[in-house]
Amino acid sequence: MYRFLLTPRWWGINVFVLLAIPFCVFMGSWQLSRFEDRVQDHRTVTERVESGRTEAVRPLDSMLPVDKSTAGRRVTASGRYGKQLLVPGRELDGKRGFYVLTLLRTGSGKALPVVRGWLPGTADAAEAPAPPAGEVTVTGALQASETPGDNGVSAQGGLPAGQTAAISSATLVNLVPYRLYDAWVTLDKGDAGMKAVPASAPGGTGLDLKAFQNLGYTGEWFVFAGFVVFMWFRLLRREIEFQRDAALGLVPEEPEQTPVPSG
């Protein structure tokens, strides 16, 4: 009854199934591992950000470039404060407000964006405390340049002069007359009575849209594997039923076609 499995048609079906199922399982397992890696990265970076508050402070240049291993680490830098900008639309403790971002001009010739603190309400330069004059040394958590869409960063354009939507060297280079570090620092303690902005995990290391896409793709690949198995059994069952009907003479014969007379 199962001799039909040796026909060329069924050989093709069987080979396809034997290749498709392992492939779907492999792709599903790979997507699942990507999701688990993102979760682990987020856990590791979050723990580092928390423990970074008690770690020894290190010079800024020794912790660059910013990556998963250095984000959230405490660094120190010295210089003189220069141009000041506001970063509107930032939430802290459930309230909406803005960051006060001041460029620290260091001895290296580059400027370091420093978030001196957060204030509630609408961004207003008149409410932002002026930075200290003279040589200063800052200590805070090292952060990677922001990307619109990560950690609530807005892609808003057309802001008033003196404001920026993202703390990013790519954005700030058009707003300040300095060479910039591709990083920024949030102070351990808010300056001039402002609230300190807590460090956050870098983009791409959390349960963001990309992570849940990996999880969704995992489900899709395993569903595909199950669908291939289901269709194989369905085709097998139909073939067996056809063979039984044929053995019992229940398969209707195709009517002979009457030749069409020419002319």
Side-chain angles (χ1 to χ4, degrees):
M1 179 178 294
Y2 294 97
R3 291 180 180 177
F4 62 85
L5 292 174
L6 300 178
T7 60
R9 171 173 173 266
W10 273 92
W11 265 106
I13 293 174
N14 292 335
V15 169
F16 172 78
V17 171
L18 291 175
L19 293 177
I21 292 176
F23 178 76
C24 290
V25 172
F26 169 78
M27 291 301 297
S29 300
W30 180 74
Q31 290 289 351
L32 181 60
S33 68
R34 292 286 296 161
F35 173 75
E36 291 174 343
D37 287 344
R38 289 181 181 276
V39 173
Q40 183 59 43
D41 285 346
H42 178 69
R43 183 180 297 115
T44 301
V45 173
T46 301
E47 291 175 353
R48 184 179 300 118
V49 168
E50 292 296 325
S51 63
R53 298 172 183 173
T54 58
E55 287 184 351
V57 180
R58 300 186 182 184
L60 171 67
D61 291 335
S62 69
M63 302 299 285
L64 297 176
V66 186
D67 56 24
K68 294 176 183 179
S69 65
T70 59
R73 295 287 180 87
R74 296 176 70 228
V75 297
T76 184
S78 298
R80 293 177 178 269
Y81 279 125
K83 188 175 179 63
Q84 183 160 285
L85 300 168
L86 306 182
V87 188
R90 298 305 179 99
E91 292 188 358
L92 186 63
D93 298 333
K95 298 180 181 179
R96 198 166 183 81
F98 60 96
Y99 294 167
V100 176
L101 176 70
T102 312
L103 280 298
L104 181 71
R105 303 176 65 182
T106 67
S108 68
K110 292 183 178 180
L112 173 68
V114 176
V115 172
R116 295 170 49 230
W118 174 91
L119 290 172
T122 304
D124 185 351
E127 297 182 8
E135 187 81 11
V136 296
T137 298
V138 300
T139 302
L142 184 63
Q143 301 281 262
S145 288
E146 295 179 331
T147 301
D150 289 343
N151 299 323
V153 178
S154 171
Q156 179 182 358
L159 291 173
Q163 296 187 19
T164 179
I167 309 173
S168 165
S169 58
T171 301
L172 296 175
V173 71
N174 300 313
L175 302 176
V176 298
Y178 315 129
R179 293 171 55 213
L180 297 166
Y181 284 103
D182 188 16
W184 58 282
V185 166
T186 175
L187 297 183
D188 289 342
K189 297 181 180 179
D191 196 7
M194 295 182 288
K195 284 190 176 181
V197 175
S200 60
T205 60
L207 298 180
D208 55 8
L209 178 60
K210 292 182 179 179
F212 286 106
Q213 283 179 339
N214 291 135
L215 191 60
Y217 294 150
T218 298
E220 288 180 1
W221 282 112
F222 286 136
V223 168
F224 290 158
F227 180 75
V228 171
V229 174
F230 168 77
M231 289 303 300
W232 186 85
F233 276 106
R234 184 174 181 180
L235 289 174
L236 179 67
R237 181 177 178 182
R238 288 182 60 184
E239 190 71 31
I240 292 174
E241 290 176 350
F242 179 82
Q243 295 292 336
R244 288 175 179 172
D245 291 345
L248 295 174
L250 299 178
V251 178
E253 297 182 0
E254 296 183 1
E256 297 182 0
Q257 295 183 355
T258 304
V260 179
S262 59

